[in-house]
Amino acid sequence: DVQLVESGGGLVQPGGSLRLSCAASGFSFSDYWMSWVRQAPGKGPEWVALIKVDGTESWYVDSVKGRFTISRDNAKNSLFLQMNSLRAEDTAVYYCAWPVRLLHYWGQGTPVTVSS
Amino acid sequence: DVVMTQSPLSLPVTLGQSASISCSSSQSLVYSDGDIYVSWFHQRPGQSPRRLIYKVSNRASGVPDRFSGSGSGTDFTLKISRVEAEDVGVYYCMQATHWPFTFGPGTKVEI
């Protein structure tokens, strides 16, 4: 069975940093693009970033460009999201989701709260 | 960015009856491979979204055949026939043809 398990969320002050992780299993992780999607409280989901199979190409939504970095470790079937210069509007549950254009599988999400 | 619009935003339903949700996109969603990457998701409070329909009309594994998707170009529809109590929640359409991929605002279905 496919499993996506996110971790690393928490409470952080504005301007702070967090690194999210996603442990993937049940599929050939190194063969697929991967993605992060977030959902702010009371809002619909929002795509955050995509990364190519070998990590050489990544795409970001404009609101996080220059602040967030998506990366992966295919040897460990893991996906990461480094979040810097966090803002209140980044407060959301962050999901790892697969496959990229179809999102058949979502993790349980890890909550991030940016507040002083 | 592609804007996805849903209607209605709130949908009272009667158990056993059918319900339809519409989704419109601000531009054509035909990808270079010929597919249209429009999906529908259902989300209950406190849960992750669950995929129902992908590529306009394909029912995902384990999804009851009460759910069906249709559409083309820029207009898409999710139909729920014989609504059951477990169908309450918020339904989102999503396009994954043009980056950034985008979701609709959601339709809240209530009994």
Side-chain angles (χ1 to χ4, degrees):
Chain A
D1 286 0
V2 172
Q3 284 204 338
L4 299 166
V5 180
E6 303 93 338
S7 61
L11 174 64
V12 61
Q13 293 188 339
S17 299
L18 275 178
R19 188 185 194 223
L20 306 184
S21 299
C22 170
S25 61
F27 64 101
S28 184
F29 180 81
S30 60
D31 288 340
Y32 291 93
W33 286 62
M34 291 296 296
S35 62
W36 287 98
V37 179
R38 68 183 178 182
Q39 188 169 25
K43 303 289 187 181
E46 177 190 35
W47 282 84
V48 176
L50 306 175
I51 187 167
K52 194 176 178 180
V53 293
D54 58 4
T56 59
E57 189 176 334
S58 54
W59 299 58
Y60 299 90
V61 68
D62 282 350
S63 58
V64 308
K65 277 180 187 175
R67 301 188 299 121
F68 289 13
T69 303
I70 188 172
S71 62
R72 63 193 296 161
D73 183 340
N74 287 342
K76 296 182 178 179
N77 290 348
S78 294
L79 179 71
F80 306 101
L81 186 68
Q82 178 66 44
M83 305 187 296
N84 298 330
S85 303
L86 283 161
R87 306 167 179 166
E89 55 265 35
D90 296 318
T91 294
V93 176
Y94 285 72
Y95 297 98
C96 174
W98 173 84
V100 163
R101 291 190 190 272
L102 304 177
L103 299 189
H104 286 325
Y105 299 95
W106 298 60
Q108 84 289 349
T110 187
V112 171
T113 302
V114 185
S115 174
S116 54
Chain B
D1 297 2
V2 176
V3 177
M4 302 294 280
T5 305
Q6 289 182 233
S7 65
L9 297 182
S10 179
L11 181 59
V13 298
T14 302
L15 294 177
Q17 299 298 306
S18 63
S20 277
I21 302 171
S22 297
C23 177
S24 295
S25 61
S26 58
Q27 60 183 273
S28 172
L29 297 180
V30 180
Y31 188 54
S32 56
D33 62 7
D35 278 326
I36 299 176
Y37 287 90
V38 169
S39 298
W40 290 92
F41 298 86
H42 175 219
Q43 187 175 33
R44 298 187 182 100
Q47 295 187 10
S48 304
R50 173 198 175 208
R51 80 282 183 270
L52 297 173
I53 302 290
Y54 64 97
K55 289 197 275 187
V56 181
S57 59
N58 295 274
R59 198 177 306 112
S61 176
V63 174
D65 60 8
R66 303 183 288 103
F67 292 90
S68 62
S70 62
S72 62
T74 60
D75 294 297
F76 306 93
T77 301
L78 175 71
K79 182 175 180 180
I80 312 171
S81 59
R82 305 181 308 279
V83 170
E84 298 187 3
E86 65 183 20
D87 298 336
V88 299
V90 183
Y91 290 80
Y92 297 98
C93 60
M94 179 197 80
Q95 68 84 17
T97 295
H98 305 289
W99 181 255
F101 306 152
T102 47
F103 289 84
T107 295
K108 188 173 185 179
V109 171
E110 303 170 295
I111 303 293

